[in-house]
């Protein structure tokens, strides 16, 4: 054995989990309101498999009006910040955001709001 040291073979198995976020509710329909009146909906953002802190950024849609002007009638506010935090039990803390709409021009539209983490996911 001194001339032939033993060789050990180790097999490792694992699963790669990509970070992702889910939304509750998965889509938002804001109520029709009179011009220049704000309407709002709360959305819970449920991060999953984030192993380190990350910060969410929001990209809101710009709308082109009939006269060619562009507006952004939506706003997003996070009530407790927009950092994705890993809790001691290995899960991620949920985030609450409020999506609001206000316009002085009559509008009806269907658009996506993009939530992007620091790694552009």
């Amino acid at each position: 054995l001194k001339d032939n040291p033993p060789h050990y073979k180790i097999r490792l198995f694992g699963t790669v989990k990509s970070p992702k976020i889910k939304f509750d509710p998965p889509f938002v329909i804001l109520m029709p309101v009179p011009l220049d009146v704000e309407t709002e909906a709360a959305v819970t953002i449920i991060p999953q498999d984030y192993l380190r802190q990350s910060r969410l950024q929001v990209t809101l849609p710009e709308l082109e009006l009939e006269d060619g002007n562009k507006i952004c009638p939506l706003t997003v506010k996070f009530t407790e910040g927009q950092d994705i935090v890993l809790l001691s039990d290995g899960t991620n803390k949920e985030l609450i955001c409020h999506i609001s709409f206000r316009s002085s021009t009559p509008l009806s539209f269907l658009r996506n709001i993009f939530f992007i983490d620091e790694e552009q996911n």
Side-chain angles (χ1 to χ4, degrees), residues 19-82:
K20 59 184 169 259
I21 55 177
K22 292 186 178 184
F23 300 91
D24 184 28
F27 60 91
V28 173
I29 298 174
L30 296 170
M31 296 300 294
V33 291
L35 296 179
D36 281 325
V37 173
E38 186 173 88
T39 183
E40 181 180 288
V43 176
T44 302
I45 298 172
I46 308 161
Q48 296 176 326
D49 301 324
Y50 278 85
L51 300 178
R52 61 179 177 256
Q53 183 170 320
S54 189
R55 185 170 184 82
L56 287 182
Q57 299 297 321
V58 180
T59 302
L60 297 171
E62 212 175 48
L63 304 173
E64 187 170 343
L65 302 176
E66 290 178 5
D67 63 6
N69 288 328
K70 293 183 179 182
I71 63 168
C72 185
L74 297 172
T75 58
V76 173
K77 295 178 186 169
F78 290 86
T79 55
E80 297 176 15
Q82 52 201 90

Side-chain angles (χ1 to χ4, degrees), residues 58-114:
V58 180
T59 302
L60 297 171
E62 212 175 48
L63 304 173
E64 187 170 343
L65 302 176
E66 290 178 5
D67 63 6
N69 288 328
K70 293 183 179 182
I71 63 168
C72 185
L74 297 172
T75 58
V76 173
K77 295 178 186 169
F78 290 86
T79 55
E80 297 176 15
Q82 52 201 90
D83 290 331
I84 297 173
V85 177
L86 182 64
L87 300 174
S88 61
D89 66 357
T91 62
N92 296 117
K93 182 180 177 187
E94 294 181 351
L95 305 170
I96 305 292
C97 75
H98 294 270
I99 300 170
S100 57
F101 167 86
R102 179 191 299 248
S103 177
S104 57
T105 304
L107 290 175
S108 178
F109 62 93
L110 175 65
R111 294 288 192 279
N112 292 321
I113 297 175
F114 293 98

